Amino acid sequence: MNRKQLIDAVKSQMPAARWEHTLGVMETAVLLARSYQGDADKAHMAAVLHDVCKYWPVKEQGNVIRDHGLPADLLDYDKEIWHAHAGAFIAQRDYEVDDEEVLDAIRYHTTGRKHMTQLEKIVCLADYIEPGRDFPGVHKIREIAEYSMEKALLTAFDGTIIFLLEKGKKVYPLTLLARNSLVDEINQLN
Ligand code: DGI
Ligand code: FE
Ligand code: FE
């Protein structure tokens, strides 16, 4: 599959509005990679595929997790986070992606994790701040992203955690670990 075929195949998996979002993440991920010494090709590839399963029926996303030994505890948390792990599996199986760094960037783009790689930060942050995003606080995160990916991502995760707490929802532990890990990184940078 060449790059054009890959892009067309992923595009066919989602409604037009979600494809617009994916285009925004592709563009933003490449810009972040250039600004922060990331690998722009890998960032682009992970961005193309990051939401590949997002519009699959939730039941199918759950089946991918159950049937292929992905972390079973995901099933005890919000369904919104399933598509990331399921997507990494599908990227490898159906789209012939074999680069572990790219697969991890897809896998952790929603929840994050402790000690996120540069590529994971790029894709996760691009997902929050791509031009089509419009949620309270997004402007501030875009401003911070001009000088620190870690500070921008911390602000983004804090917003998500607060949002989940206010809704009375559970927080997947990796998101808390990601958040704490960024605090450590930032304090060592200062
Ligand atoms: O797929 P997208 O809409 O582009 O963005 P995403 O993959 O970041 O989706 C995240 C959604 O998942 C967001 O609306 C918040 C929700 N969510 C539910 N539980 C958790 C969670 N997000 C994180 N980071 N951690 C959770 O535990
Ligand atoms: Fe997503
Ligand atoms: Fe996304």
Side-chain angles (χ1 to χ4, degrees):
M1 212 183 297
N2 65 31
R3 188 175 281 219
K4 168 92 171 63
Q5 289 168 326
L6 171 78
I7 288 175
D8 286 344
V10 176
K11 187 177 173 183
S12 76
Q13 299 293 303
M14 58 189 74
R18 178 57 39 167
W19 181 248
E20 284 299 310
H21 161 72
T22 296
L23 288 174
V25 179
M26 287 153 63
E27 175 193 318
T28 306
V30 168
L31 291 175
L32 287 172
R34 290 192 187 133
S35 301
Y36 290 102
Q37 287 83 43
D39 185 320
D41 283 337
K42 291 187 187 200
H44 184 268
M45 177 65 91
V48 169
L49 281 152
H50 83 286
D51 277 341
V52 67
C53 286
K54 175 99 181 177
Y55 283 84
W56 287 18
V58 162
K59 193 159 174 266
E60 280 182 41
Q61 296 178 31
N63 286 342
V64 171
I65 291 170
R66 255 184 301 273
D67 297 348
H68 300 287
L70 310 189
D73 64 345
L74 287 165
L75 301 169
D76 298 329
Y77 290 84
D78 200 318
K79 297 172 177 58
E80 291 282 329
I81 70 175
W82 298 0
H83 71 282
H85 284 256
F89 178 84
I90 294 303
Q92 184 168 39
R93 190 189 69 182
D94 298 349
Y95 295 86
E96 296 151 23
V97 177
D98 54 12
D99 186 314
E100 285 299 331
E101 288 177 15
V102 171
L103 294 172
D104 280 339
I106 299 169
R107 188 173 289 126
Y108 298 109
H109 86 264
T110 305
T111 59
R113 64 166 166 170
K114 191 173 175 177
H115 300 317
M116 289 173 76
T117 65
Q118 193 75 345
L119 193 68
E120 287 164 22
K121 289 175 187 170
I122 287 168
V123 176
C124 188
L125 182 56
D127 195 23
Y128 272 106
I129 65 171
E130 61 93 1
R133 286 288 201 210
D134 184 18
F135 59 87
V138 69
H139 298 293
K140 186 71 195 164
I141 300 171
R142 287 189 185 116
E143 264 173 48
I144 302 172
E146 297 283 326
Y147 59 89
S148 167
M149 283 217 294
E150 288 73 24
K151 288 181 181 172
L153 255 191
L154 175 62
T155 306
F157 278 135
D158 282 353
T160 297
I161 292 165
I162 290 167
F163 167 83
L164 293 168
L165 296 184
E166 282 175 352
K167 293 223 154 192
K169 291 195 173 189
K170 297 197 285 188
V171 181
Y172 191 61
L174 281 189
T175 301
L176 296 171
L177 293 176
R179 191 248 171 219
N180 291 344
S181 183
L182 288 164
V183 171
D184 285 344
E185 280 186 60
I186 289 163
N187 288 337
Q188 277 153 24
L189 288 177
N190 283 337

